[in-house]
Amino acid sequence: MKKRCKSSIIFSILILSSLFLSLTFIDAACSLGATPLGAGAKVKPGTEVLVVWNFYNLYGDRTTHISVTKTSGPDWDIRYEPTFHEEQYEISGVVTPMNENLAVENSSVVLEIPSTIPEGMDYVKHPSKDGYIPVKTLKIYIKVPANAKLWENFGFTFQAKGDCFTEPGAVIPAVATEMKVNITTTTEFSEKKVSDKKGIIELTGGIIGANLTTGLIAFGIIALIIIVFLILKMKKKGKTNFSY
């Protein structure tokens, strides 16, 4: 009887331990929010475009480690601030590396923006509630080539992937979001004729010169025919007079 009771206690402890571990795993949530999801700019070739991407973590219970990459778009020079780098974190007593651009801790909506905002952070208005969302900012610098064609549209897609630790060396399956960026090349307004007055005069002069040359040749040929005709007529007349 005592053995059966002891076995029941051990079994109950194991069940409770398993339940606790499963609840701990279920509660581990990784959250990633971002704004804006689209941006656009009209710039001259040779300009560097700055796009600010804001990230927040309202619904997770872990820090979200974010890495940003370009998934589509022209092969232009692009740099990120912060850059993609490796950080070391102590996870449950074990130092574990993580590759990221930035890390976003869990936060909540605030009713007022603090007077002092740490570098790399900002606040954006909540879309449906009163208050502001604390965000961490990532700056994307896109260099438009100096030889880029004017009045062309160039589209980019950037992906932000968020990872969260569950235990040393293990992460929750990544969450991700995207931002579309459209860049149109432009320049200052100007208006001028493609051919100036001098060019038109030279073109007209060339046409007149060609017509004049052709006319002179034709006139010379006609004159020569008339002269030959007169000479032949005079010879014929001379022969007629001699016969008398």
Side-chain angles (χ1 to χ4, degrees):
M1 186 71 178
K2 287 182 178 180
K3 287 184 178 181
R4 187 176 296 177
C5 184
K6 190 174 181 179
S7 298
S8 299
I9 292 171
I10 293 172
F11 181 74
S12 299
I13 292 172
L14 290 173
I15 292 294
L16 289 172
S17 299
S18 301
L19 182 61
F20 174 76
L21 290 173
S22 63
L23 286 174
T24 302
F25 179 77
I26 292 170
D27 285 344
C30 193
S31 174
L32 173 61
T35 183
L37 300 180
K42 292 184 178 182
V43 298
K44 297 179 182 179
T47 304
E48 188 171 59
V49 178
L50 170 61
V51 180
V52 179
W53 205 2
N54 303 309
F55 298 99
Y56 56 89
N57 178 1
L58 291 180
Y59 308 108
D61 59 359
R62 307 292 171 97
T63 297
T64 304
H65 303 271
I66 301 171
S67 57
V68 176
T69 55
K70 184 196 78 174
T71 57
S72 67
D75 189 21
W76 294 354
D77 290 336
I78 297 175
R79 58 189 180 93
Y80 305 92
E81 186 181 311
T83 59
F84 185 69
H85 61 284
E86 181 183 287
E87 287 284 358
Q88 302 288 329
Y89 292 92
E90 184 178 324
I91 308 299
S92 302
V94 179
V95 176
T96 307
M98 172 63 79
N99 293 319
E100 63 185 27
N101 288 92
L102 48 81
V104 183
E105 298 79 12
N106 174 255
S107 60
S108 56
V109 177
V110 298
L111 294 179
E112 294 183 359
I113 299 176
S115 57
T116 303
I117 301 175
E119 185 178 354
M121 287 194 65
D122 203 350
Y123 288 82
V124 297
K125 184 71 176 66
H126 196 287
S128 59
K129 298 180 181 179
D130 293 334
Y132 301 87
I133 303 173
V135 297
K136 279 197 173 180
T137 59
L138 176 82
K139 295 178 180 178
I140 304 175
Y141 295 90
I142 305 172
K143 180 68 175 180
V144 182
N147 62 350
K149 289 184 178 180
L150 288 174
W151 309 109
E152 292 281 339
N153 294 320
F154 300 92
F156 295 83
T157 302
F158 293 92
Q159 183 188 70
K161 184 170 70 73
D163 293 304
C164 299
F165 285 107
T166 56
E167 58 184 49
V171 295
I172 298 173
V175 291
T177 186
E178 289 184 342
M179 176 176 63
K180 304 285 187 180
V181 176
N182 186 72
I183 295 176
T184 303
T185 51
T186 183
T187 188
E188 295 178 356
F189 177 79
S190 62
E191 181 178 342
K192 63 179 181 180
K193 289 183 178 180
V194 176
S195 299
D196 57 17
K197 188 175 180 181
K198 182 179 179 182
I200 294 174
I201 291 175
E202 288 176 352
L203 178 62
T204 306
I207 293 172
I208 292 174
N211 290 338
L212 182 61
T213 301
T214 303
L216 289 174
I217 292 173
F219 177 78
I221 293 172
I222 294 171
L224 181 61
I225 292 171
I226 293 172
I227 292 172
V228 171
F229 176 77
L230 291 174
I231 291 173
L232 291 175
K233 189 174 182 181
M234 289 176 66
K235 285 184 177 181
K236 186 176 181 181
K237 187 176 181 180
K239 287 180 180 180
T240 305
N241 294 334
F242 180 75
S243 61
Y244 283 104

